[in-house]
Amino acid sequence: MEPFKQVDGRAYPFGRKNVDTDVIIPAEYLKTISREGLGEGAFKTVRAEDGNVFDNPEYAGSPVLIAGDNFGCGSSREHAAWALNDMGVRVVIAPSFSDIFSSNAFKNGILTVELPQEVIDRLMEVAESDPITVDLENQVVTTPFQDRFEFAVDPFRKSCLLAGLDEIGLTLASGDAIAAYEQKASAARPWLVKETN
């Protein structure tokens, strides 16, 4: 996973409330176990609407998505986080998130930032024409207009994102401790160790 320190760039001013995971990535895309190519199917029903923000070239490749309350509700499909990643989204800012979506996003290197609705309204306004900066290290969202919005983040999630560690990375980071334990356990219970020839 790529370390996350700060993201600067345009933001999709989406703003819709109660966007479920089926809207983020429709069920027809759940047949794959690949994380690549899902961005093409992301927000398919929204993209069918004239003038939607996701097909506006002005926002193409934006690393930030601004959404409404209860983003990511519905089923627990991890494909929703995969699709956002494939679109290039590194941060989703909303007043609230589904717990399962927030967990899946974190496990896939996406920061979820909860801010009050009045802040979302301001960021939606800024996103129409200017970039937004999300600084994880200092836990602040800023704009070119001197707006500064602090946000809370779980310390464990913050440290993992800053270091670029997913679950596999966390396990590998403990490789020496695991090897030492295995060696000690093998010495204490040699009958459990299968000999290989």
Side-chain angles (χ1 to χ4, degrees):
M1 193 165 71
E2 186 181 331
F4 186 121
K5 296 200 181 340
Q6 181 172 302
V7 168
D8 301 287
R10 294 297 299 273
Y12 292 105
F14 185 43
R16 288 194 193 171
K17 297 180 180 184
N18 302 312
V19 173
D20 66 28
T21 52
D22 192 50
V23 171
I24 299 170
I25 188 71
E28 64 199 74
Y29 293 93
L30 303 185
K31 299 172 188 166
T32 182
I33 56 170
S34 173
R35 296 176 187 218
E36 296 175 11
L38 290 174
E40 293 175 24
F43 300 101
K44 184 177 181 179
T45 56
V46 176
R47 286 181 163 157
E49 302 168 5
D50 288 337
N52 76 82
V53 69
F54 298 108
D55 287 334
N56 184 334
E58 188 176 341
Y59 301 107
S62 293
V64 180
L65 172 68
I66 303 169
D69 199 32
N70 198 27
F71 186 81
C73 58
S75 66
S76 62
R77 58 186 73 164
E78 190 173 16
H79 292 67
W82 295 355
L84 290 171
N85 255 336
D86 200 50
M87 288 175 60
V89 172
R90 299 291 316 276
V91 182
V92 181
I93 304 173
S96 68
F97 296 90
S98 155
D99 288 341
I100 294 172
F101 171 79
S102 187
S103 177
N104 284 337
F106 156 67
K107 290 177 183 181
N108 287 280
I110 298 172
L111 175 64
T112 54
V113 174
E114 290 189 20
L115 290 170
Q117 186 61 51
E118 59 269 19
V119 173
I120 298 299
D121 295 341
R122 172 61 181 153
L123 292 175
M124 290 279 291
E125 181 185 324
V126 171
E128 293 288 339
S129 57
D130 292 280
I132 291 172
T133 298
V134 181
D135 181 344
L136 175 58
E137 207 158 17
N138 296 303
Q139 296 178 215
V140 65
V141 176
T142 57
T143 74
F145 306 102
Q146 307 307 312
D147 296 301
R148 181 179 175 83
F149 307 112
E150 294 182 2
F151 61 89
V153 63
D154 176 81
F156 173 74
R157 289 184 175 187
K158 178 179 179 178
S159 66
C160 288
L161 288 169
L162 286 170
L165 294 175
D166 58 11
E167 291 170 329
I168 294 171
L170 281 169
T171 302
L172 292 175
S174 300
D176 291 342
I178 293 168
Y181 171 81
E182 291 293 332
Q183 187 175 20
K184 185 177 175 182
S186 296
R189 295 179 287 284
W191 61 89
L192 294 177
V193 179
K194 181 180 178 182
E195 290 190 29
T196 57
N197 293 330

